[in-house]
Amino acid sequence: MIYLVEHFYSIQGEGKFVGTPSLFFRFGGCNMQCVGFGCKEVAPDGTEVLGCDTVYAVNKEHFAKRWVPVKSHQELLNVLDLYELPHAVDIVLTGGEPLIYANDPIFVNFLEALDERGHRITFETNGSLNVDFEKYPIYRKCIFALSVKLSNSQEPLAKRLRGDVIFNIASNAQDAFFKFSIDRDSINMALEDEIESITIHSPQTKVYCMPLGGSKAEVEANTEPLIEFCKAKGYNFSDRLHIRIWDENKGV
């Protein structure tokens, strides 16, 4: 079963296409928890849940009541009719981890329909789940923002770093780029070596580093140290524009 947590029309706040008007689909479920990011969310039952800044789209145990089951790809397409959209606006699929649904016929049909309508499709993925480009050639027309998790996520290395998956996606997708969430305390913890251990699997793929944080204050606290790190190492700095503007990570 596919679960949709939220959808919203905004601008892309991160990565290569920052500032681009985009319709976001946030899907529920993930193969990681990332408690090291330290973001907290209060569930409907009052439980405080720890994880990434979209823990409400990750933790099914406490947030499933907010997730909407999707029974057909047409239900997803109908979302486009709820907005006054420019022709072929960018579509961003995020989560959670959207690629947990990569083999689902409903999901694949949705992608094919979007492509037929001329939309540019971008996945925001942790880069640990493989994609069958031979069986589902629609993925060759998609763009992948590879947000591979670093040690600050507190996920096991073997789970968060899959070199074969990174190589497969970067080699077969229309385009791909790395996107890392980094806080100021991690910068001096052999961070460059860790990033190189990831990017070595696709050395031509561009690297974007963005400040960790689920609030404007957290993002701003991590911004200047990260900019200096990017200047020193030659990486691209990516703002988290939506959080800086709206101080929110839901619906923006």
Side-chain angles (χ1 to χ4, degrees), residues 188-203:
N188 296 319
M189 298 170 60
L191 187 62
E192 183 182 11
D193 292 341
E194 188 174 4
I195 291 177
E196 288 182 354
S197 73
I198 295 170
T199 59
I200 193 173
H201 300 287
S202 183

Side-chain angles (χ1 to χ4, degrees), residues 162-202:
R162 294 282 309 279
D164 58 330
V165 174
I166 293 170
F167 179 80
N168 182 48
I169 292 176
S171 299
N172 289 287
Q174 177 179 310
D175 192 11
F177 56 92
F178 290 109
K179 189 176 69 171
F180 298 108
S181 299
I182 299 172
D183 63 287
R184 58 184 175 181
D185 295 332
S186 300
I187 290 175
N188 296 319
M189 298 170 60
L191 187 62
E192 183 182 11
D193 292 341
E194 188 174 4
I195 291 177
E196 288 182 354
S197 73
I198 295 170
T199 59
I200 193 173
H201 300 287
S202 183

Side-chain angles (χ1 to χ4, degrees), residues 74-90:
Q74 188 60 49
E75 291 181 19
L76 294 173
L77 288 175
N78 289 344
V79 171
L80 279 70
D81 297 328
L82 301 177
Y83 300 90
E84 294 183 5
L85 300 171
H87 175 67
V89 69
D90 278 23

Side-chain angles (χ1 to χ4, degrees), residues 183-185 187 219-230:
D183 63 287
R184 58 184 175 181
D185 295 332
I187 290 175
V219 166
E220 290 183 343
N222 290 317
T223 291
E224 288 193 25
L226 182 58
I227 288 175
E228 293 304 315
F229 174 75
C230 289

Side-chain angles (χ1 to χ4, degrees), residues 89-107:
V89 69
D90 278 23
I91 303 294
V92 179
L93 309 179
T94 186
E97 173 49 62
L99 289 182
I100 64 174
Y101 303 116
N103 300 319
D104 191 296
I106 292 175
F107 198 70

Side-chain angles (χ1 to χ4, degrees), residues 47-95:
T47 303
E48 187 176 75
V49 184
L50 186 67
C52 67
D53 60 357
T54 56
V55 65
Y56 62 93
V58 172
N59 190 296
K60 186 177 181 180
E61 178 184 358
H62 290 102
F63 294 95
K65 290 183 178 179
R66 297 181 180 176
W67 298 7
V68 178
V70 177
K71 299 178 181 178
S72 73
H73 78 281
Q74 188 60 49
E75 291 181 19
L76 294 173
L77 288 175
N78 289 344
V79 171
L80 279 70
D81 297 328
L82 301 177
Y83 300 90
E84 294 183 5
L85 300 171
H87 175 67
V89 69
D90 278 23
I91 303 294
V92 179
L93 309 179
T94 186

